[in-house]
């Protein structure tokens, strides 16, 4: 049983067993002895301790984990032994004695030592391994061509990217190994730079600057810009948090109340059942939608928190890649389900039936009327785009659709007949044909009266697969037809006629079937038969007798008549008893 000791290393607390503590203590004392007579030794040792604390923290799985001798040995192997390095000026020559260089992955920091404004360009230059000058030129070009839009991006990077302050951070920024040798080298380079600046400084100018308390132009400009960017950044962070949190909460409520538990039965679920030809469970689709939309909302909220909280702890690479994997899987599965849904409508099948019937009284007109379902009488039924989910008298669920068209055509002989053509889509031609065969459509023929349904029905199990019915009513030539007004949808009719009337206008008029399949009106007015157009107080008549135009205005009258006799023009002014008639012979 080993004794556990609590230590504070670089302001981080660790639990370490007694054997590991003794080994770590001897290692740190050896390092202190090695740097005893070195300039900047305190800073070097502080950076070394910070690096050791960082390595310990990376190896800990939880806060209660105890650092053992194994972890100490691993850290020492990374940092190196003090005797492995020459702690004198020889290590700063162009060709150091130790030629071994371990390359590390660069980390993104702002280089405040080589900054012009915020050090973003210098930090990006270190990260991508290119000269910062090219980064700065790219910023200028992007800012010009985006009308200043990249200024805000620069500001966000300024806020989000931390600055390299410690020696360890500066080494990470350059991708150099964080060990004793590099830490010592970096610290001593800093002292050498300071010493060189002290030697070459103009003390008189420095005194004047101290007295004036002035700043350089770029430093002052940087402070002003940074102030405004921080305000804008905080505002953007709040917006991102609100959007992300609202989206996640809304998706969470929808997932457990509608998608999985179905606590609230809303019409949308009924519609999903109608169009879900692939039979994909609603809970699975809801879960995938939650991940596909919720994960981006989460990262929006996380980005907002990163903007507002400077020292926000990272969620870790494992969590990031796990969420990314879930998002990609959700997107892929939703695409697959969408393709499966589309495949259910890839083929079209149809079933046709034709039946002859006999008219009781050929001398009497054939009366055609429509029969409508009672789907509009119950407001609790769910419908969308002409589709209604209803129940039969036996309690069975059925789909009711208005996709019915009735076409009138001339019969090829003296026998009237009716053809019912049912169409539907499916995943295969066989499936589409079977779905079409399951469509129910009714009509009744009683004497000279034909009653046609303006709707179709099909069991709910068939789903919605673009089911439709086309009725072709073939009547012999010279058959008189009367379209009765009914509760049905008159727009269901498709009948060509010599009056160019719409489906609803042909009702309550007597028609006769022409030999070309066009209906001829028998009781239309004279103006209708002669293609008469009346507007206001005037009229225009065009027929075989010629053209007759009569325009009546307020107090004025103008008539123009063109026929075989020539052109006749008549004008009459109300304020004068004079009239004028001009006749021009051809």
């Amino acid at each position: 049983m080993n004794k556990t000791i609590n230590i504070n290393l670089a302001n981080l607390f660790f639990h370490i067993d007694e054997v590991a503590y003794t080994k770590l203590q001897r290692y740190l004392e050896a390092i202190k002895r090695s740097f005893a007579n070195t300039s900047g030794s305190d800073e070097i040792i502080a950076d070394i301790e910070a690096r050791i604390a960082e390595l310990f923290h990376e190896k800990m799985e939880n806060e209660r984990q105890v650092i053992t001798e194994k972890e100490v040995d691993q850290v020492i192997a990374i940092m190196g032994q003090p005797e492995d390095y020459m702690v004198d000026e020889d290590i700063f020559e162009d060709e150091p004695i130790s030629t071994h260089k371990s390359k590390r992955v660069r980390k993104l920091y702002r280089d405040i030592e080589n900054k012009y404004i915020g050090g973003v360009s210098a930090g990006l230059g270190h990260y991508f391994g290119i000269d910062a000058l090219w980064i700065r030129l790219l910023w200028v070009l992007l800012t010009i061509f985006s009308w200043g839009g990249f200024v805000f991006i620069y500001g966000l990077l300024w806020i989000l990217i931390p600055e390299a302050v410690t020696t360890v951070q500066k080494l990470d920024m350059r991708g150099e190994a964080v060990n004793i040798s590099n830490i010592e080298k970096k610290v001593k380079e800093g002292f050498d730079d300071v010493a060189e600046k002290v030697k070459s400084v103009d003390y008189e100018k420095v005194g004047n600057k101290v007295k004036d308390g002035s700043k350089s132009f770029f430093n002052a400009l940087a402070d002003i810009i940074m102030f405004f960017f921080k305000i804008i950044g905080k505002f953007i962070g709040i917006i991102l948090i609100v959007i992300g949190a609202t989206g996640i909460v809304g998706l969470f409520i929808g997932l457990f109340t509608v998608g999985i538990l179905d606590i609230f039965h809303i019409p949308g679920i009924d519609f999903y059942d109608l169009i879900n030809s692939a039979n994909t469970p609603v809970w699975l689709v809801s879960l995938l939608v939650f991940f596909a939309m919720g994960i981006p909302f989460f990262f929006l909220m996380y980005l907002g928190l990163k903007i507002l909280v400077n020292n926000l702890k990272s969620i870790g690479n494992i969590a990031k890649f796990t969420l990314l994997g879930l998002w990609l899987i959700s997107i892929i599965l939703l695409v697959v389900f969408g393709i499966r849904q589309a495949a259910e409508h890839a083929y079209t099948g149809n079933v046709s039936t034709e039946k002859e019937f006999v008219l009781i009284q050929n001398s009497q007109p054939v009366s055609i009327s429509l029969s409508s379902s009672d789907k509009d009488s119950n407001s609790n039924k769910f419908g969308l785009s002409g589709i209604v989910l209803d129940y039969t008298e036996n309690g069975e669920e059925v789909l009711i659709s208005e996709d019915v068209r009735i076409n009138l055509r001339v019969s090829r002989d003296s026998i009237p007949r009716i053809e019912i053509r049912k169409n539907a889509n499916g995943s295969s031609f066989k499936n589409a044909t079977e779905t079409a065969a399951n469509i129910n459509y009714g009509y009744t023929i009683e004497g000279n009266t034909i009653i046609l349904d303006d709707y179709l029905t099909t069991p709910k199990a068939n789903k919605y697969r673009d089911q439709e019915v086309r009725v072709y009513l073939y009547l012999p030539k010279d058959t008189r037809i009367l379209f009765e007004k009914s509760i049905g949808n008159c727009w269901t009719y498709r009948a060509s006629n010599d009056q160019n009337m719409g489906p609803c206008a042909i009702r309550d008029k007597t028609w006769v079937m022409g030999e070309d399949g066009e209906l001829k009106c028998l009781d239309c007015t004279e103006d209708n038969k002669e293609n008469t157009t009346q507007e206001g107080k005037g009229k225009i008549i065009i027929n075989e007798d010629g053209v007759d135009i009569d325009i009546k205005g307020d107090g004025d009258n103008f008539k123009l008549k063109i026929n075989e006799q020539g052109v006749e023009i008549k004008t009459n002014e109300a304020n004068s008893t004079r009239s004028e008639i001009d006749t021009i012979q051809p």
Side-chain angles (χ1 to χ4, degrees), residues 357-361 445-450:
F357 60 93
V358 178
L359 299 175
I360 302 301
Q361 296 178 343
I445 300 177
E446 299 175 353
N448 278 33
T449 301
I450 303 174

Side-chain angles (χ1 to χ4, degrees), residues 103-162:
K103 295 294 182 180
R104 301 179 71 249
V105 178
R106 293 184 176 92
K107 294 184 179 180
L108 185 57
Y109 289 97
R110 287 188 290 114
D111 187 358
I112 57 177
E113 293 180 353
N114 300 305
K115 70 176 182 177
Y116 271 97
I117 300 177
V120 175
S121 298
L124 291 173
H126 290 302
Y127 187 78
F128 293 108
I130 59 178
D131 197 316
L133 175 63
W134 301 109
I135 302 291
R136 294 186 178 103
L137 290 176
L138 182 61
W139 277 116
V140 173
L141 293 176
L142 292 175
T143 302
I144 293 174
F145 288 107
S146 65
W147 298 95
F150 271 82
V151 174
F152 295 98
I153 298 177
Y154 185 93
L156 287 177
L157 293 177
W158 194 348
I159 296 172
L160 295 176
I161 300 176

Side-chain angles (χ1 to χ4, degrees), residues 65-289:
Q65 181 176 340
V66 177
I67 302 297
T68 63
E69 187 178 6
K70 177 182 176 182
E71 284 78 21
V72 173
D73 291 337
Q74 291 175 350
V75 169
I76 293 175
I78 295 173
M79 299 296 296
Q81 295 289 347
E83 58 268 19
D84 294 338
Y85 304 94
M86 296 183 63
V87 287
D88 55 29
E89 299 299 325
D90 292 339
I91 67 173
F92 301 107
E93 296 178 358
D94 293 338
E95 295 183 0
I97 293 176
S98 177
T99 59
H100 176 70
K101 297 181 180 179
S102 59
K103 295 294 182 180
R104 301 179 71 249
V105 178
R106 293 184 176 92
K107 294 184 179 180
L108 185 57
Y109 289 97
R110 287 188 290 114
D111 187 358
I112 57 177
E113 293 180 353
N114 300 305
K115 70 176 182 177
Y116 271 97
I117 300 177
V120 175
S121 298
L124 291 173
H126 290 302
Y127 187 78
F128 293 108
I130 59 178
D131 197 316
L133 175 63
W134 301 109
I135 302 291
R136 294 186 178 103
L137 290 176
L138 182 61
W139 277 116
V140 173
L141 293 176
L142 292 175
T143 302
I144 293 174
F145 288 107
S146 65
W147 298 95
F150 271 82
V151 174
F152 295 98
I153 298 177
Y154 185 93
L156 287 177
L157 293 177
W158 194 348
I159 296 172
L160 295 176
I161 300 176
E163 62 183 31
V165 178
T166 65
T167 304
V168 174
Q169 291 173 339
K170 294 174 183 178
L171 291 173
D172 284 335
M173 180 176 64
R174 291 172 170 81
E176 300 179 14
V178 184
N179 50 34
I180 297 176
S181 176
N182 285 335
I183 290 175
E184 179 194 8
K185 180 179 178 180
K186 195 65 184 174
V187 172
K188 295 189 72 173
E189 282 178 351
F191 276 95
D192 291 341
D193 291 340
V194 173
E196 185 66 25
K197 291 178 181 179
V198 170
K199 292 177 182 179
S200 59
V201 72
D202 188 335
Y203 291 99
E204 183 178 355
K205 292 183 178 179
V206 171
N208 292 333
K209 288 183 179 180
V210 172
K211 291 178 182 179
D212 295 338
S214 61
K215 293 184 177 180
S216 68
F217 171 77
F218 285 109
N219 285 337
L221 181 63
D223 292 339
I224 296 173
I225 295 176
M226 191 62 179
F227 173 75
F228 285 105
F229 272 128
K230 282 184 177 180
I231 295 176
I232 297 174
K234 300 298 183 182
F235 180 72
I236 293 175
I238 294 173
I239 293 177
L240 293 178
I241 292 174
V242 171
I243 293 175
T246 304
I248 292 174
V249 172
L251 290 171
F252 189 81
I253 294 174
L255 173 66
F256 285 95
T257 58
V258 178
I260 294 181
L261 301 180
D262 196 15
I263 297 176
F264 301 106
H265 189 71
I266 62 174
I269 300 300
D270 291 333
F271 179 68
Y272 176 82
D273 290 337
L274 300 186
I275 65 173
N276 183 23
S277 304
N279 292 320
T280 306
V282 64
W283 66 266
L284 179 59
V285 174
S286 300
L287 190 63
L288 295 177
V289 171

Side-chain angles (χ1 to χ4, degrees), residues 269-533:
I269 300 300
D270 291 333
F271 179 68
Y272 176 82
D273 290 337
L274 300 186
I275 65 173
N276 183 23
S277 304
N279 292 320
T280 306
V282 64
W283 66 266
L284 179 59
V285 174
S286 300
L287 190 63
L288 295 177
V289 171
F290 176 79
F291 285 129
M293 299 180 64
I295 291 175
F297 278 126
F298 171 78
F299 279 106
L300 280 178
M301 184 178 67
Y302 179 71
L303 178 59
L305 290 173
K306 288 282 288 184
I307 293 175
L308 292 179
V309 183
N310 295 328
N311 298 323
L312 181 67
K313 187 176 181 181
S314 175
I315 61 175
N317 291 331
I318 296 177
K320 290 178 182 177
F321 286 113
T322 300
L323 292 175
L324 178 61
L326 282 175
W327 183 77
L328 290 175
I329 292 172
S330 302
I331 294 295
I332 292 172
L333 288 178
L334 286 175
V335 171
V336 170
F337 292 153
I339 294 174
R340 285 182 55 191
Q341 179 69 22
E344 293 293 328
H345 297 258
Y347 295 87
T348 300
N350 62 78
V351 175
S352 297
T353 58
E354 185 175 322
K355 181 179 180 181
E356 298 179 352
F357 60 93
V358 178
L359 299 175
I360 302 301
Q361 296 178 343
N362 292 329
S363 59
Q364 297 296 323
V366 175
S367 177
I368 301 176
S369 63
L370 297 176
S371 175
S372 179
S373 68
D374 60 348
K375 59 181 178 298
D376 296 327
S377 62
N378 190 345
S379 60
N380 294 325
K381 299 173 186 176
F382 173 72
L384 185 64
S385 299
I387 307 168
V388 172
L389 178 63
D390 203 352
Y391 297 88
T392 63
E393 296 178 353
N394 299 327
E396 298 177 355
E397 292 182 307
V398 294
L399 302 182
I400 302 176
S401 174
E402 296 177 343
D403 198 352
V404 176
R405 299 294 180 266
I406 300 172
N407 301 272
L408 268 69
R409 297 182 178 179
V410 64
S411 177
R412 60 180 177 268
D413 49 33
S414 60
I415 301 176
R417 58 178 57 86
I418 184 171
E419 179 185 357
I420 309 296
R421 184 177 299 173
K422 305 174 183 178
N423 303 320
N425 294 336
S427 57
S428 63
F429 180 75
K430 178 181 178 182
N431 177 257
T433 303
E434 291 176 351
T435 304
N438 289 327
I439 297 175
N440 300 316
Y441 179 78
Y443 65 92
T444 304
I445 300 177
E446 299 175 353
N448 278 33
T449 301
I450 303 174
I451 304 174
L452 303 167
D453 290 345
D454 69 344
Y455 64 95
L456 64 90
T457 63
T458 187
K460 180 186 175 182
N462 294 324
K463 306 293 183 178
Y464 172 67
R465 290 188 170 92
D466 296 317
Q467 290 93 336
E468 63 181 22
V469 170
R470 299 295 180 259
V471 180
Y472 298 92
L473 185 60
Y474 298 94
L475 298 176
K477 183 186 68 171
D478 297 331
T479 301
R480 287 185 297 165
I481 304 169
L482 179 62
F483 296 93
E484 295 183 353
K485 288 186 176 180
S486 59
I487 60 174
N489 183 7
C490 60
W491 291 99
T492 302
Y493 291 126
R494 295 292 184 271
S496 175
N497 61 86
D498 62 347
Q499 302 297 316
N500 292 325
M501 291 184 177
C504 295
I506 63 177
R507 296 179 301 179
D508 286 343
K509 297 187 183 299
T510 304
W511 304 84
V512 62
M513 177 63 73
E515 61 181 357
D516 58 352
E518 184 179 65
L519 300 181
K520 312 295 183 182
C521 184
L522 298 180
D523 54 0
C524 294
T525 63
E526 188 67 19
D527 290 343
N528 292 132
K529 289 183 65 178
E530 294 174 345
N531 293 328
T532 300
T533 302

